[in-house]
Amino acid sequence: SLQGKTAVITGSNSGIGLGVARELARAGADVVINSFTDRDEDHQLAADIAKEFGVTARYIKADLSKGAEARALIEQAGKCDILVNNAGIQHVSPIEDFPVEKWDAIIAIMLTSAFHTTAVALPMMRKAGWGRVVNIASAHGLTASPYKSAYVSAKHGVVGLTKVTALETAKEDITVNAICPGYVKTPLVEAQIPDTAKEYNMTEEEVIEKVILARQPSKEFATVEQIGGTAVFLCSDAAAQITGTTISVDGGWTAL
Ligand code: NAD
């Protein structure tokens, strides 16, 4: 059980981050959820998790495109035994047309923020004598697709940062790993299905199989619960010697 541990999950008012927060809470951890908004429904998500799983849950606003806010998130949490770097965005465009501000935002939110949160969390983990860093990378941390230059670069960077952080903590009871999901059915992905179906004149089922899951041999989405369960495993005693590596949850994508 993760009772008594505090987990901070970045970008967790939706999708994978929320799924990971819920599975860590189910395993007994207190959780801090985060995004860049500060709406009633954000705080309500934390209240719902606290009620459902009987843990302490807080929502802390931080815009992770800004280094100072990423650092302040961990400082405000006060304690961070489990750090899950998950926040992310996407932009698709050929390199020569790729908007510079989109490149900068993607690298800042997905790669640089993980450097900042890790820098503040590691001393807290050392003080506690135990820690787990779980970086949510992607199949695109291991392989590439055209038109996703910033995303693929940031995710490969996250895998690199994972390895370095693991080496710097190797002799301590701290592990650092990256989960590499293939396609996961999150609100973000689901929203694209009806429009793509119209565009290609296909049924939604055909879009899922032939367009979205073209590279995922299982022809099934991974679920946020499966990503959350993988994070819980990485926090377990069975995973204490797993560090500096990646775990793919991608229905065979990276085996192709
Ligand atoms: P999502 O849009 O549902 O979640 C993204 C989260 O990041 C949201 O909570 C959002 O509020 C937050 N976020 C965005 N910009 C932020 C900022 N500036 N500051 C703070 N928070 C911010 O998408 P998702 O699919 O759940 O993606 C979560 C992570 O999983 C991302 O890193 C993504 O790259 C990765 N991933 C997703 C898939 C997939 O198929 N859905 C596959 C592989 C990897």
Side-chain angles (χ1 to χ4, degrees), residues 10-17 34-37 62-65 85-89 109-110 136-139 151 155 180-189 221 224:
T10 72
S12 45
N13 68 347
S14 149
I16 292 173
N34 151 265
S35 182
F36 57 89
T37 49
D63 180 349
L64 299 177
S65 66
N85 289 304
N86 167 78
I89 58 169
I109 293 167
M110 306 208 308
I136 306 300
S138 168
Y151 188 91
K155 292 301 192 186
C180 293
Y183 277 107
V184 183
K185 210 167 188 184
T186 63
L188 197 87
V189 172
F221 288 101
V224 300

Side-chain angles (χ1 to χ4, degrees), residues 90 137-146 148 151-157 159 180-183 215 253-254:
Q90 175 64 288
S138 168
H140 280 126
L142 304 168
T143 65
S145 295
K148 296 185 176 176
Y151 188 91
V152 170
S153 301
K155 292 301 192 186
H156 276 69
V159 171
C180 293
Y183 277 107
R215 293 180 72 177
W253 178 329
T254 45

Side-chain angles (χ1 to χ4, degrees), residues 44-63:
Q44 190 58 48
L45 284 173
D48 292 345
I49 289 175
K51 192 170 170 217
E52 185 172 351
F53 301 111
V55 298
T56 301
R58 285 176 288 160
Y59 178 84
I60 300 178
K61 179 202 164 190
D63 180 349

Side-chain angles (χ1 to χ4, degrees), residues 1-239:
S1 157
L2 297 176
Q3 218 162 4
K5 308 291 191 202
T6 297
V8 181
I9 305 98
T10 72
S12 45
N13 68 347
S14 149
I16 292 173
L18 182 58
V20 170
R22 286 178 49 81
E23 293 312 307
L24 289 171
R26 193 191 303 281
D30 296 325
V31 295
V32 171
I33 62 173
N34 151 265
S35 182
F36 57 89
T37 49
D38 198 9
R39 306 164 303 180
D40 288 345
E41 55 256 52
D42 295 323
H43 294 272
Q44 190 58 48
L45 284 173
D48 292 345
I49 289 175
K51 192 170 170 217
E52 185 172 351
F53 301 111
V55 298
T56 301
R58 285 176 288 160
Y59 178 84
I60 300 178
K61 179 202 164 190
D63 180 349
L64 299 177
S65 66
K66 302 187 173 86
E69 291 195 30
R71 285 176 184 257
L73 167 64
I74 307 301
E75 277 154 15
Q76 263 181 270
K79 193 169 173 267
C80 182
D81 305 298
I82 299 165
L83 170 63
V84 182
N85 289 304
N86 167 78
I89 58 169
Q90 175 64 288
H91 186 81
V92 181
S93 168
I95 291 172
E96 62 273 28
D97 301 328
F98 210 94
V100 173
E101 61 279 9
K102 284 285 180 202
W103 171 277
D104 288 343
I106 288 175
I107 301 295
I109 293 167
M110 306 208 308
L111 176 57
T112 310
S113 84
F115 157 72
H116 288 297
T117 55
T118 301
V120 181
L122 283 184
M124 292 180 177
M125 292 176 181
R126 289 196 170 111
K127 204 169 148 209
W130 188 93
R132 295 289 183 264
V133 180
V134 178
N135 293 323
I136 306 300
S138 168
H140 280 126
L142 304 168
T143 65
S145 295
Y147 314 124
K148 296 185 176 176
S149 55
Y151 188 91
V152 170
S153 301
K155 292 301 192 186
H156 276 69
V158 165
V159 171
L161 177 65
T162 301
K163 293 176 185 175
V164 174
T165 314
L167 292 179
E168 292 187 15
T169 55
K171 290 223 165 95
E172 302 164 86
D173 196 354
I174 296 172
T175 70
V176 187
N177 294 289
I179 299 176
C180 293
Y183 277 107
V184 183
K185 210 167 188 184
T186 63
L188 197 87
V189 172
E190 267 178 338
Q192 301 167 19
I193 297 172
D195 286 345
T196 314
K198 263 187 229 153
E199 221 174 283
Y200 286 88
N201 195 23
M202 285 179 177
T203 66
E204 296 197 4
E205 290 70 33
E206 284 174 317
V207 165
I208 289 170
E209 196 191 314
K210 293 182 181 145
V211 183
I212 298 180
L213 296 180
R215 293 180 72 177
Q216 199 144 305
S218 66
K219 298 298 171 201
E220 276 181 38
F221 288 101
T223 66
V224 300
E225 290 79 10
Q226 289 164 349
I227 308 301
T230 306
V232 170
F233 166 68
L234 287 172
C235 294
S236 73
D237 293 340

